[in-house]
Amino acid sequence: MIIGSGPAGLTAAVYSARASLAPLLIEGVEAGGQLMLTTEVENYPGFIDGIIGPDLMDRMRKQAARFGTEYMSGNVTELDFSTRPFSIATGESTILADAIILATGAQAKMLGVPGERRLLGHGVSTCATCDGFFFREREIVVVGGGDSAMEEALFLTKFGSKVTVVHRRDHLRASKIMQERAFANPKLEFIWNAKVQEIVGDTTVKGLRFEDSRTGVTSELAAEGVFVAIGHTPNTKLFEGKLELTGGYIDVEPNTTRTSVAGVFAAGDVVDSHYRQAITAAGMGCMAAIDAERMLSDVPLIETAW
Ligand code: NAP
């Protein structure tokens, strides 16, 4: 069984279906994962002219179906990893599985201000590696004050005509070394004590409205790109107390996808707080399917569970 339908889950499905493991993939309400929230994807190998995020996911889904992956919609409500076969409840049904691949992903934290959701993929982004290239010679804003924000801002200085970090306090949370790098970069500017109120623009981003938290004065800053870099939340609520987690992310044995429970594997952004790319998630999905296949070939299978 595979839980999650982003690049990690669907790649695990392609590999496990082709290994005749008859995978059942459970997809939640936000099927397809974070790529469903993007527009153009230009860095996924094999697509010379780029591909629209939802189209890429649709292709992966059909590719996995071609080899016999079955799909089920529903939110997993309960998991029992204490005995094998493992059992998974999804509201109406309980399903048994010999091996489970968890690929539930992560979510970028969002500001929750007007304009943000609507303009996501149209100037608002949560991934500089993915989208920085679209903002060559444009004015860019990065919101946040942690290591992620500094990393994104420094990376974006390669593209933007100007990069402004907008932070809600008067000092950064980022590590000393990242702060030093950021302050030393002449292309980076900072606006402190700035509480973002709105991301402005009709069909594409035109700027950002913020309030100075000390004076209450509201200002507008022109920008064509707004990168929200205020952290991520891995989707691991269901696994708390059942698997070893660190900082909310699932622990895996180094260079494998094996979690702290034998037979349960994990792949993609639910494990990886560092790279967070579709291609790295897909790579881990492949690893998880191979790890599961090897484990299952050593352990007798249960009868078909669905
Ligand atoms: P983080 O350390 O939690 O920082 C989040 C930043 O966003 C903070 O500055 C926070 O402001 C701000 N923020 C949070 N919610 C906000 C909101 N609603 N509105 C405005 N601002 C908001 O997250 P992170 O930067 O993603 O880093 C997560 C972990 O990964 C950290 O341990 C970090 O060191 C690590 N990391 C390391 C590297 C590296 O070493 N190269 C790179 C990336 C991440 P406040 O400061 O006011 O709380």
Side-chain angles (χ1 to χ4, degrees):
M1 167 160 325
I2 299 161
I3 305 176
S5 56
L10 288 171
T11 307
V14 170
Y15 273 76
S16 50
R18 291 189 77 257
S20 302
L21 296 181
L24 172 69
L25 186 147
I26 302 188
E27 46 191 0
V29 277
E30 289 178 15
Q34 294 179 81
L35 279 190
M36 300 302 280
L37 303 174
T38 63
T39 47
E40 196 77 17
V41 179
E42 288 190 330
N43 56 5
Y44 201 88
F47 297 94
I48 300 158
D49 302 316
I51 181 163
I52 301 296
D55 290 350
L56 178 59
M57 298 324 298
D58 186 49
R59 281 168 174 255
M60 286 192 198
R61 199 175 185 285
K62 287 180 177 149
Q63 188 180 1
R66 181 182 151 209
F67 300 110
T69 300
E70 287 188 37
Y71 294 96
M72 186 175 157
S73 295
N75 274 329
V76 174
T77 49
E78 192 54 55
L79 295 142
D80 185 355
F81 294 154
S82 61
T83 52
R84 285 188 70 223
F86 306 118
S87 78
I88 296 98
T90 63
E92 293 114 52
S93 40
T94 299
I95 305 149
L96 303 180
D98 287 298
I100 299 187
I101 296 173
L102 303 173
T104 48
Q107 284 167 330
K109 287 187 192 156
M110 302 303 285
L111 296 163
V113 297
E116 182 182 46
R117 279 272 157 205
R118 184 170 46 81
L119 294 167
L120 198 59
H122 301 279
V124 176
S125 171
T126 56
C127 176
T129 311
C130 318
D131 299 328
F133 195 72
F134 299 123
F135 297 95
R136 275 160 296 172
E137 296 309 317
R138 310 272 169 86
E139 295 192 6
I140 302 173
V141 167
V142 175
V143 183
D147 280 326
S148 293
M150 293 313 106
E151 204 169 60
E152 304 267 280
L154 286 163
F155 179 75
L156 289 165
T157 58
K158 292 186 197 151
F159 305 102
S161 55
K162 182 174 143 198
V163 179
T164 308
V165 173
V166 169
H167 183 38
R168 65 181 177 184
R169 290 188 298 143
D170 63 358
H171 58 276
L172 298 173
R173 177 177 297 281
S175 55
K176 267 271 162 301
I177 183 155
M178 292 299 277
Q179 294 200 25
E180 281 165 13
R181 277 185 209 157
F183 292 140
N185 191 310
K187 257 185 146 182
L188 270 191
E189 291 183 13
F190 291 82
I191 297 182
W192 304 104
N193 303 301
K195 188 174 179 322
V196 178
Q197 290 185 320
E198 185 181 353
I199 297 174
V200 184
D202 291 332
T203 51
T204 57
V205 168
K206 296 279 181 253
L208 178 134
R209 199 155 50 74
F210 64 92
E211 181 190 80
D212 185 317
S213 58
R214 294 159 309 177
T215 61
V217 173
T218 300
S219 314
E220 210 166 300
L221 178 68
E224 285 173 73
V226 174
F227 287 78
V228 180
I230 60 172
H232 285 79
T233 312
N235 298 319
T236 50
K237 206 123 208 72
L238 272 175
F239 316 136
E240 283 171 8
K242 296 183 163 72
L243 294 175
E244 302 274 333
L245 308 176
T246 300
Y249 290 85
I250 300 176
D251 287 344
V252 290
E253 267 178 55
N255 304 318
T256 78
T257 59
R258 290 197 290 265
T259 69
S260 53
V261 173
V264 178
F265 304 88
D269 286 11
V270 74
V271 173
D272 169 27
S273 63
H274 189 67
Y275 298 103
R276 298 192 190 114
Q277 298 301 299
I279 188 66
T280 51
M284 286 179 76
C286 159
M287 289 166 63
I290 292 173
D291 287 344
E293 195 275 327
R294 294 202 176 138
M295 189 273 306
L296 290 171
S297 61
D298 293 338
V299 181
L301 283 180
I302 56 165
E303 290 300 306
T304 304
W306 57 82

